[in-house]
Amino acid sequence: LPFLTRVVAHERVHVLQEDYFYQTALEPVESWLLAKLPHGRTIDRYIDINGSTELLGLLSIFFPKHDDRPWEIEAIYLSR
């Protein structure tokens, strides 16, 4: 049971990381891009196109070892 508790805490940190990444980096860019499209502001008002998981996947190219990825190091540290 302690192991499962730590796994859930670790994954919860990842959820918070992706939410933060989306809100601070991706959402402003998404809103800006959608504003350039017809009806884009309306779409932006009701739909979030959250590509944080995909972007972190692309960043993984620079960190081939799973345990060297900054977001993994942070999640391991914060879930202890």
Side-chain angles (χ1 to χ4, degrees):
L1 191 60
F3 174 75
L4 291 178
T5 303
R6 189 164 167 199
V7 168
V8 170
H10 178 93
E11 295 307 320
R12 191 170 48 239
V13 170
H14 285 315
V15 170
L16 294 172
Q17 288 170 328
E18 288 193 17
D19 282 351
Y20 179 80
F21 186 51
Y22 173 70
Q23 291 293 323
T24 58
L26 298 179
E27 197 278 332
V29 174
E30 175 186 305
S31 293
W32 179 78
L33 287 171
L34 284 172
K36 308 248 179 248
L37 297 174
H39 309 290
R41 290 187 197 276
T42 303
I43 294 168
D44 188 35
R45 187 173 177 185
Y46 294 103
I47 298 172
D48 284 331
I49 306 166
N50 186 348
S52 59
T53 301
E54 291 76 11
L55 209 51
L56 287 173
L58 289 172
L59 287 173
S60 296
I61 294 167
F62 299 104
F63 304 97
K65 286 183 64 184
H66 184 267
D67 292 343
D68 290 342
R69 296 172 183 164
W71 53 92
E72 287 299 333
I73 294 168
E74 180 182 45
I76 291 167
Y77 176 77
L78 292 176
S79 63
R80 291 185 176 170

